[in-house]
């Protein structure tokens, strides 16, 4: 789907980069067309996400703060987006912790641990059912794959994953070459690299996995058949910025 | 008698009903239409850096409502350009040479204000939301590229049987409720520092 408006122009408008004449024309369209209005809102929301994730360039960050943080309501939106993002992250970390705990119990046959494991499974299943599965309106069929860094496109080692019609999500585990970062971010893009189809923030290595991995769940709705690149960035314990760590490659067959 | 200044005129019930009738003979649709127009006006004034965006939006609506008894408005079937025209005039009359702050306003909510209590309150309030509302909120604000966001929102609106504008207003109301819940939670936390959390 294409936007009615050009995304770059919408960004420029929001960041105050249009001339007076262009701005007036833009606003006329913004006011007259519902769909265009929603597109502008969507671009604004995406800019807010980029801002709170620290992904805006320095000049754009300055323009954003001047243009999109100047009213109480705009600041309120940014604060809200930040908390919503944390809420999602905590949800994801909770799921990862449960998975980590379940791995600890894997293979241990002593009764107490089995009982504890069963109880944990029940708690986890209940919680996950309440917090994740139920809101989506039905059971998820998830398939999993583990990717290693550096298996480059065109090297013949590209991993392939067949995604059937019933599959709802792909669980991708990324093997970490460097597990020392406090948290990770994975960004999935199509073969042209510029087309980011999914990002997952605040990923933390699973407690018991060896080699260490981070896991992200990718909704299949976001994936067409084709080649994908997953860029992994990490934030050091004291660092404010994310550093590029590794890239992973995957071919989806639909 | 001199002409009444447009800013002195207030929207009474009869004028408001006439405005709604003009927007759409169906009262429910007229209400949605009114909210949508007001929301667009606020958006536009906000993008112009106006702290008083809501007041300017209301003034624009008042001016249109005030003119409605005039014969020429009876035949206008597309009200949006009318509102836009009045909005431009309101903006000119309330002109501010430098609406945007010259010194960037840094959002400090991540530092001092975003205390642990605040985080917990947000989480608690989001957890307490009825599941459909939480799902609607999370889906509407899914972190995606703009095209995907628009697609998701359109699909969500279609599933819920409403326009995308009505969906945005619904989500905004849920956000208002969440903020009220957060404020109450923070007040409680401050009143009972030892009991809280």
């Amino acid at each position: 789907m294409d936007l009615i408006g050009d995304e770059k122009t919408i960004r420029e408008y929001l960041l105050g980069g249009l001339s007076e004449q262009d701005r007036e024309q833009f606003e006329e369209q913004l006011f007259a067309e519902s769909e265009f209005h929603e597109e502008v809102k969507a671009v604004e929301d995406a800019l807010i996400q980029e801002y709170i994730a620290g992904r805006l360039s320095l000049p754009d960050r300055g323009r954003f703060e001047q243009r999109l943080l100047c009213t109480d309501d705009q600041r309120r939106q940014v604060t809200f987006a930040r908390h919503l993002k944390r809420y999602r992250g905590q949800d994801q970390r909770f799921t990862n912790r449960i998975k980590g705990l379940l791995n600890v119990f894997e293979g241990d046959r002593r009764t107490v641990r089995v009982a504890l494991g069963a109880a944990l499974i029940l708690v986890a299943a209940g919680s996950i059912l309440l917090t994740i599965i139920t809101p989506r309106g039905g059971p998820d069929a998830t398939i999993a794959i583990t990717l290693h860094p550096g298996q480059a496109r065109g090297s013949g080692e590209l991993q392939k994953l067949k995604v059937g019609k019933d599959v709802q999500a792909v669980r991708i585990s990324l093997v970490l070459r460097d597990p020392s970062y406090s948290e990770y971010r994975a960004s999935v893009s199509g073969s042209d690299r510029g087309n980011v189809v999914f990002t997952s923030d605040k990923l933390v290595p699973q407690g018991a996995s060896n080699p260490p991995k981070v896991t992200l769940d990718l909704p299949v709705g976001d994936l067409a058949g084709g080649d994908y690149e997953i860029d992994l960035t990490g934030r050091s314990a004291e660092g404010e910025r994310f550093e590029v760590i590794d890239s992973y490659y995957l071919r989806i067959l639909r | 008698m001199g002409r009444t200044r447009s800013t002195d005129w207030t929207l009474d019930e009869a004028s408001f009903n006439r405005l709604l009738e003009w927007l759409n003979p169906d009262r429910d649709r007229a209400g949605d239409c009114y909210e949508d127009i007001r929301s667009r006006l606020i958006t536009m004034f906000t993008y112009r850096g106006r702290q008083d965006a809501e007041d300017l939006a209301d003034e624009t609506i008042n001016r249109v409502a005030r003119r409605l008894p005039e014969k020429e408005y009876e035949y206008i079937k597309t009200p949006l350009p009318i509102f836009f025209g009045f909005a431009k005039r309101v903006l000119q009359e309330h002109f501010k040479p430098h609406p945007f702050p010259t010194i960037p306003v840094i959002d400090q909510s991540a530092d001092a204000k975003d205390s642990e209590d605040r985080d917990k309150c947000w989480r608690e309030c989001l957890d307490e939301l009825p599941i459909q509302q939480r799902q609607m909120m999370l889906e509407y604000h899914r972190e995606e590229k703009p095209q995907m966001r628009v697609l998701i929102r359109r699909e969500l609106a279609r599933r819920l049987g409403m326009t995308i504008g009505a969906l945005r207003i619904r989500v905004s109301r849920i956000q208002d409720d969440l903020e009220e819940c957060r404020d109450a939670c923070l007040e409680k936390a401050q009143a009972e520092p030892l009991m809280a959390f």
Side-chain angles (χ1 to χ4, degrees), chain A residues 91-143:
Chain A
D91 209 34
Q92 181 63 46
R93 278 202 297 279
F94 170 77
T95 311
N96 286 345
R97 273 202 299 275
I98 293 294
K99 281 188 277 186
L101 280 168
L102 290 175
N103 283 341
V104 170
F105 289 112
E106 214 169 71
D108 196 321
R109 290 167 193 271
R110 279 190 300 177
T111 316
V112 175
R113 290 199 175 184
V114 169
L116 273 171
L120 258 173
I121 289 167
L122 282 174
V123 171
S127 305
I128 291 168
L129 196 70
L130 278 173
T131 59
I132 300 171
I133 295 173
T134 309
R136 285 179 187 170
D140 283 354
T142 303
I143 53 171

Side-chain angles (χ1 to χ4, degrees), chain A residues 23 27 31 34 38 44-45 49 65-67 72 76 82-83 85 87-88 90 196-197, chain B residues 40 47-48 51 100-101 106-107 109 122-123 127 138 141 143-145 149 153 168 176 179:
Chain A
R23 185 169 67 170
E27 283 173 349
F31 204 80
S34 283
E38 296 312 321
E44 183 186 1
D45 289 345
Q49 290 298 339
E65 285 172 351
Q66 195 179 40
R67 290 277 167 166
D72 291 341
R76 179 180 154 239
R82 183 175 277 138
H83 283 285
K85 189 177 181 67
Y87 182 76
R88 286 183 208 275
Q90 280 154 351
V196 175
V197 294
Chain B
R40 286 179 205 221
Y47 289 153
R48 289 282 186 135
Q51 185 73 38
F100 296 100
I106 307 295
D107 177 37
S109 55
W122 273 110
R123 197 169 62 237
D127 281 343
L138 292 173
H141 285 292
E143 292 178 27
E144 297 286 355
K145 290 194 79 186
R149 276 177 202 260
R153 290 173 184 184
R168 178 169 36 77
D176 292 344
E179 283 165 348

Side-chain angles (χ1 to χ4, degrees), chain A residues 113-218:
Chain A
R113 290 199 175 184
V114 169
L116 273 171
L120 258 173
I121 289 167
L122 282 174
V123 171
S127 305
I128 291 168
L129 196 70
L130 278 173
T131 59
I132 300 171
I133 295 173
T134 309
R136 285 179 187 170
D140 283 354
T142 303
I143 53 171
I145 187 167
T146 298
L147 299 177
H148 293 263
Q151 290 180 329
R153 201 172 7 221
S155 67
E157 300 172 272
L158 187 66
Q159 284 184 263
K160 299 174 186 71
L161 186 67
K162 173 80 182 156
V163 178
K165 280 180 187 166
D166 298 334
V167 174
Q168 301 285 314
V170 177
R171 179 159 299 166
I172 301 174
S173 294
L174 304 175
V175 173
L176 299 174
R177 238 192 302 234
D178 182 353
S180 66
Y181 290 86
S182 63
E183 63 176 70
Y184 295 82
R185 176 193 293 154
S187 170
V188 183
S189 52
S191 50
D192 61 354
R193 282 212 72 192
N195 176 27
V196 175
V197 294
F198 184 81
T199 57
S200 188
D201 287 327
K202 301 199 172 177
L203 300 171
V204 289
Q206 294 165 32
S209 62
N210 188 22
K213 303 181 196 88
V214 290
T215 300
L216 57 144
D217 288 329
L218 197 57

